[in-house]
Amino acid sequence: MVSELLPVITSIARLYYLDGLGQSEIAKICGISRSTVSRALTTARERGIVRISVDDYDPRDAASERELSDRLGLKRAIVVRSTGEAMPTVSRAVGYFASATVAKWLSGYRTVGVSGGRTLAEVIHAMDVHPDRAGVKVVQLTGMIESTSSRVDASRLSRMVSNRFQAACFPINAPAIVRDAGMHARFLSHTQIQSVRNMFGSLDVALVGIGTLADSAFAERQVIGDTDLAELRRAGAVGEICGRFYDASGTECLTGHRSRVIGIELETLRSGPEVIAVTNGPERKAAILAAITGGLVHSLVIDQAGAKSLLGKP
């Protein structure tokens, strides 16, 4: 029956793909319903009457990846070509095109630490399931930013990574930032939190985001108050990783904020074998360079505009 209709299907395909007519217009010309036109176009693709090709396009900038690795001493880098300018759009593009490679990087490790972050969230959300990775442990690196786990929170992302790799997850059931040093000490005395913190020193790899004093998930959700921000600014803070702010040398700023963060210490992160940072945007240049200079980051996932900024290119 379909073979008898092939001339009609081919005619409809030509009107749509070559002549650029809309489905409603084609329906009027052929005296059929719009749904029939839609089914005919589907059949045309399935039967090979229409063969769609797209010019080769590499979503990654390999030249910039090599240059970043060589000039900044990175272990490895992913640079995703820019598809837009708005931050959410760039984050989604980085996430979609980098996720498979990041998952491949993780496949060689047994204990994976995961923090929070907006662009990092896009990478993890885009990952496929890898059920063949038995024995993997996923460790949450910071407490929760908010009372309910958001899409970009370390608690949500660590559980997602554990699901992707069919791995055991070790969460931190506590806020990322508490009210004062006394409360901080009480949380750290909890057996469950101690057990997770004891795993920080044995991480094989850590996945982290990079924020700035003005633009981090903590600042965005107003978890950090104006007093803390002012104190951090005076201390020379240029970047944030795992809720901890550091200066241009990659050293954690010695402010009151430091004694209220529940999560991995920067010195512990620095001593690990590999830290993969996922971020985007030229405005994070100072934060990224400080993290690399200070040995906090060994590998980088970033967008093309951010990479050009790091390389000093227009």
Side-chain angles (χ1 to χ4, degrees):
M1 182 68 176
V2 172
S3 59
E4 297 175 3
L5 296 174
L6 286 181
V8 176
I9 293 171
T10 304
S11 173
I12 291 171
R14 177 186 174 83
L15 291 171
Y16 185 77
Y17 287 104
L18 297 183
D19 297 346
L21 300 183
Q23 294 187 25
S24 297
E25 193 172 0
I26 294 171
K28 292 178 181 177
I29 292 173
C30 298
I32 55 179
S33 67
R34 189 181 181 282
S35 60
T36 301
V37 172
S38 179
R39 287 195 296 271
L41 292 172
T42 299
T43 302
R45 292 191 297 272
E46 292 173 347
R47 304 277 291 198
I49 296 170
V50 172
R51 293 175 295 278
I52 300 173
S53 64
V54 178
D55 289 344
D56 287 341
Y57 172 75
D58 189 348
R60 288 171 53 182
D61 184 346
S64 291
E65 292 176 355
R66 290 191 296 271
E67 193 171 356
L68 276 179
S69 297
D70 292 343
R71 286 176 54 178
L72 301 182
L74 293 170
K75 183 176 181 178
R76 41 195 171 186
I78 296 175
V79 177
V80 175
R81 297 184 188 277
S82 300
T83 57
E85 295 182 359
M87 192 272 197
T89 301
V90 175
S91 292
R92 284 191 291 271
V94 171
Y96 181 82
F97 290 117
S99 60
T101 301
V102 173
K104 188 179 296 183
W105 289 355
L106 297 182
S107 67
Y109 295 114
R110 309 301 292 181
T111 305
V112 180
V114 180
S115 78
R118 289 162 292 187
T119 307
L120 176 58
E122 297 296 343
V123 170
I124 292 172
H125 279 269
M127 281 184 184
D128 291 330
V129 175
H130 298 265
D132 56 337
R133 298 290 296 128
V136 175
K137 299 176 182 177
V138 177
V139 182
Q140 183 179 330
L141 297 182
T142 67
M144 295 171 58
I145 299 176
E146 299 174 299
S147 57
T148 56
S149 179
S150 71
R151 190 176 189 272
V152 305
D153 217 316
S155 59
R156 174 80 64 87
L157 298 183
S158 57
R159 285 183 173 85
M160 288 193 70
V161 173
S162 68
N163 289 335
R164 297 294 190 268
F165 288 89
Q166 306 296 291
C169 184
F170 297 84
I172 297 177
N173 296 314
I177 301 172
V178 295
R179 186 178 61 242
D180 53 45
M183 183 177 290
H184 182 264
R186 287 192 291 276
F187 269 108
L188 293 193
S189 67
H190 195 284
T191 303
Q192 190 272 336
I193 295 177
Q194 286 182 356
S195 67
V196 178
R197 281 169 51 83
N198 289 339
M199 301 179 72
F200 289 165
S202 59
L203 295 176
D204 294 318
V205 65
L207 277 176
V208 303
I210 295 182
T212 67
L213 193 60
D215 186 16
S216 72
F218 295 93
E220 181 183 72
R221 286 159 175 76
Q222 299 181 327
V223 177
I224 301 173
D226 292 339
T227 301
D228 280 327
L229 289 174
E231 188 180 8
L232 287 164
R233 193 173 293 111
R234 289 193 298 271
V238 299
E240 171 266 318
I241 291 177
C242 294
R244 298 185 181 274
F245 288 84
Y246 54 89
D247 61 20
S249 68
T251 303
E252 187 169 5
C253 296
L254 300 178
T255 69
H257 171 80
R258 183 186 190 190
S259 64
R260 298 190 291 111
V261 179
I262 295 180
I264 190 168
E265 291 81 5
L266 293 187
E267 285 305 313
T268 304
L269 200 63
R270 198 189 325 269
S271 65
E274 182 170 14
V275 177
I276 302 169
V278 181
T279 190
N280 79 82
E283 65 278 2
R284 286 175 173 74
K285 177 180 178 179
I288 297 168
L289 291 177
I292 295 172
T293 299
L296 295 171
V297 167
H298 310 106
S299 298
L300 181 65
V301 179
I302 195 168
D303 65 308
Q304 191 176 45
K308 286 183 176 180
S309 175
L310 293 173
L311 296 169
K313 296 182 177 180

